[in-house]
Amino acid sequence: MNRLSQSTLGGVKPGVTVPSYDRARVESRIVHLGAGAFHRSHQAVYTDDVMAGGDTRWGIVTASLHSPAISQALTPQDGLYTLLVDDNGTTRARVIGSLKEVLCLGESRRRLQEQLCSPLTEIVSLTITEKGYCYEPSSATLDESHADIRADLTAPWNPNTAIGLLVAAIYERKKNGVKPFTILSCDNLPSNGLTLRRVLERYAELAQPMFSDAQLKRHLLDHYACPCTMVDRITPAVVPADLARAEQLVGAHDASPVVAEPFSQWVIEDAFSSNRPAWESVGATFTDDVGAFEEMKLRLLNGSHSALAYLGGLAGCKTVAAAMQDPGLARFVRALMGDAADTLAMPAGVGLDDYMRSLLRRFGNVSLNHLTAQIAMDGSQKLPQRILEPIRLRLARGLPIDHHALVVAAWIRYLMGRDEQHGVLAINDPMADVLAQALARASTQADDLVAAVLGFAQVFGRDLPGNPVFVRSVVHALQNLLSQGVRATLSALASARVQ
Ligand code: CS2
């Protein structure tokens, strides 16, 4: 079987959409940091659509900051890869052509830094996950004690974090009189552009003596825009069977396809400091107020996802769709969304009921192998914006918080590392070690376990651990999970709320 590449593109099976534009003419004006599956199911697809519309100025030089796997898989394929769109039993395959180069920082540092400093580069976009911002989730400020940040600050011209790479590039561009690019965060952070800007500002302040440039921070703030975005497309991690499916549908071997749901949404703040592709011509929304979209998505979609990941994972559900088939879990998710909705001002033109219905339909997509274990990763970075913020807002209004408190308790129960059938739950989290140590020091009593985890101010802030309603609710929920298990806890909660 041929390997997918520019020279074999003509031979793909009929019915598979392929880039209709001349890829040899594509210019590289976007650098993307974080070459993972989400970037390739989302921004790279919008950009492929723009280029299919005739504007081929927007090729992407994409880079992973850690693993060489994607660069090794896609470089022999000339950046081409397959997108499989799975919809309740049917699959559509499409070959995406917007990646011009696929780099890995460790192997191609010089090429990446050169492209970041190139006058052609108009946009640097990021999908580096929450933890890639090296920030403290509860305060959304740079974590100055972060080992990678400390290392970058000792030699800021040779950085390894996305934050360090951006500031080093801004320094070089300033020195060489090169115009600014726009920095586009595409991660599920609250006010992602503002958060990124705050983190960059502090890092630049700390780094500028090393660069001997006292104006670096000011220059960044005055000239580099960081628009906020809301990004949405469920993108399960690829498994070996997906490679076989892609090969069969496309008729060529692809070492790194991506899989996604049909739904896709991108809302972008219209505040660029550079030229940009007309992403609005291919379905993106430009607006002055992304905040309402972000909060809606973080609290309704991502909050429900985390609930399904921890409660479903504990109850033995391996995928989101399997969890949604459990009537107790499905009912709980609807109730949780209802509570989250009380904290939201929905964006103009978006109906709450329609949005919630579409989420339930998307979660129920049985073709997607979206593992609860994938969503359960990095809870310490995700819970603050998904679950703790709605808790704060509900507490301030005197509203019950039992549904959201149960998700916090389920995370703590999940961190104990065993599901209800005693199967191992892998804990994948930048704070995994410290959380495990804290839990190991606690007794097996719910109040002790809760106190151990609530001690981490970088997750819970200082307010929530001191709030008796919050602490009592989480302890109560954890007691129930420990003594009765997920399903009985959910049914008790459902009848309590009905009364
Ligand atoms: C998920 C998200 O893994 C997770 O935490 O909640 O990746 C989710 O699938 C995307 O945000 C959907 O757009």
Side-chain angles (χ1 to χ4, degrees):
M1 172 88 48
N2 279 333
R3 178 91 175 256
L4 181 65
S5 72
Q6 194 57 44
S7 61
T8 60
L9 198 54
V12 307
K13 288 193 177 167
V16 177
T17 310
V18 298
S20 56
Y21 47 94
D22 179 0
R23 292 187 76 228
R25 297 173 60 100
V26 167
E27 294 163 346
S28 298
R29 284 193 163 76
I30 301 176
V31 176
H32 184 82
L33 304 179
F38 181 68
H39 164 58
R40 296 192 287 133
S41 76
H42 193 271
Q43 308 95 55
V45 179
Y46 284 86
T47 305
D48 190 60
D49 282 336
V50 166
M51 296 205 285
D55 184 359
T56 52
R57 291 174 300 161
W58 299 104
I60 305 172
V61 175
T62 192
S64 50
L65 303 186
H66 303 292
S67 159
I70 293 180
S71 153
Q72 282 166 3
L74 296 191
T75 302
Q77 298 180 187
D78 304 312
L80 294 167
Y81 64 92
T82 312
L83 169 69
L84 297 176
V85 178
D86 280 335
D87 189 11
N88 284 310
T90 61
T91 303
R92 276 182 297 116
R94 164 173 173 186
V95 175
I96 306 296
S98 51
L99 305 189
K100 268 296 263 190
E101 278 174 76
V102 186
L103 309 173
C104 168
L105 172 63
E107 296 178 343
S108 314
R109 165 181 297 281
R110 209 198 294 206
R111 173 72 197 102
L112 175 60
Q113 288 193 278
E114 173 190 83
Q115 192 65 18
L116 283 166
C117 299
S118 160
L120 214 55
T121 297
E122 304 268 5
I123 294 169
V124 180
S125 52
L126 300 95
T127 52
I128 51 176
T129 79
E130 295 85 344
K131 61 178 176 266
Y133 291 79
C134 305
Y135 80 134
E136 200 189 69
S138 63
S139 62
T141 53
L142 179 71
D143 177 0
E144 293 173 32
S145 65
H146 196 295
D148 298 345
I149 291 294
R150 290 166 66 130
D152 277 6
L153 283 171
T154 59
W157 38 87
N158 205 23
N160 287 304
T161 64
I163 304 303
L165 282 164
L166 284 164
V167 172
I170 292 167
Y171 164 73
E172 280 296 325
R173 293 175 83 95
K174 175 174 182 287
K175 194 176 73 181
N176 299 327
V178 177
K179 67 181 176 17
F181 48 60
T182 298
I183 311 174
L184 198 61
S185 167
C186 299
D187 283 293
N188 290 316
L189 262 54
S191 312
N192 53 12
L194 288 175
T195 300
L196 174 57
R197 184 177 159 89
R198 193 177 311 117
V199 167
L200 287 169
E201 174 185 353
R202 178 66 182 143
Y203 179 93
E205 189 171 12
L206 295 170
Q208 60 185 20
M210 301 288 284
F211 284 118
S212 307
D213 180 349
Q215 294 308 311
L216 183 59
K217 178 184 106 175
R218 194 63 265 154
H219 180 79
L220 153 74
L221 293 178
D222 288 348
H223 300 289
Y224 282 75
C226 302
C228 286
T229 67
M230 182 270 248
V231 291
D232 191 6
R233 189 168 209 178
I234 294 174
T235 305
V238 162
V239 295
D242 297 323
L243 270 69
R245 289 197 300 141
E247 183 163 315
Q248 208 246 327
L249 285 164
V250 173
H253 174 67
D254 180 347
S256 189
V258 293
V259 176
E261 63 170 338
F263 182 90
S264 184
Q265 190 175 15
W266 197 4
V267 184
I268 309 168
E269 188 185 358
D270 203 355
F272 281 58
S273 45
S274 61
N275 297 313
R276 62 165 179 81
W279 282 313
E280 68 275 30
S281 65
V282 294
T285 305
F286 280 86
T287 167
D288 291 338
D289 180 21
V290 180
F293 287 93
E294 275 186 333
E295 285 169 5
M296 168 186 82
K297 194 246 167 179
L298 282 170
R299 294 184 202 159
L300 295 177
L301 187 156
N302 297 113
S304 304
H305 254 175
S306 292
L308 289 165
Y310 299 124
L311 290 162
L314 287 167
C317 304
K318 298 286 178 229
T319 65
V320 172
M324 287 301 288
Q325 277 165 11
D326 181 299
L329 278 166
R331 184 176 51 197
F332 176 73
V333 162
R334 283 196 298 273
L336 184 77
M337 282 189 197
D339 281 7
D342 293 337
T343 72
L344 293 169
M346 291 294 284
V350 184
L352 176 64
D353 289 344
D354 287 349
Y355 188 73
M356 292 197 336
R357 251 197 309 277
S358 92
L359 291 183
L360 294 168
R361 205 172 39 244
R362 292 168 62 195
F363 293 165
N365 183 343
V366 288
S367 296
L368 285 184
N369 184 37
H370 197 194
L371 299 182
T372 46
Q374 179 184 342
I375 302 167
M377 278 170 51
D378 297 345
S380 68
Q381 314 291 302
K382 293 174 176 174
L383 286 202
Q385 54 274 25
R386 298 177 179 201
I387 302 294
L388 302 182
E389 199 49 28
I391 286 181
R392 283 193 178 89
L393 294 164
R394 289 185 65 85
L395 282 171
R397 289 167 55 186
L399 296 169
I401 57 162
D402 43 357
H403 292 130
H404 282 82
L406 177 58
V407 183
V408 179
W411 178 54
I412 299 174
R413 170 67 187 81
Y414 196 98
L415 289 173
M416 294 166 74
R418 295 274 168 182
D419 67 19
E420 293 182 345
Q421 295 74 42
H422 308 290
V424 173
L425 295 168
I427 308 302
N428 211 322
D429 192 299
M431 290 180 61
D433 289 348
V434 286
L435 287 163
Q437 285 154 14
L439 286 171
R441 279 195 300 269
S443 78
T444 54
Q445 297 297 311
D447 51 353
D448 242 20
L449 293 163
V450 169
V453 174
L454 260 48
F456 290 97
Q458 62 270 56
V459 179
F460 292 96
R462 307 225 173 266
D463 55 338
L464 289 177
N467 184 308
V469 179
F470 174 71
V471 178
R472 240 190 347 261
S473 307
V474 179
V475 170
H476 176 71
L478 185 58
Q479 262 158 357
N480 287 342
L481 287 176
L482 291 169
S483 61
Q484 310 170 24
V486 168
R487 291 194 169 88
T489 301
L490 291 176
S491 51
L493 187 58
S495 30
R497 269 290 182 103
V498 168
Q499 282 157 17

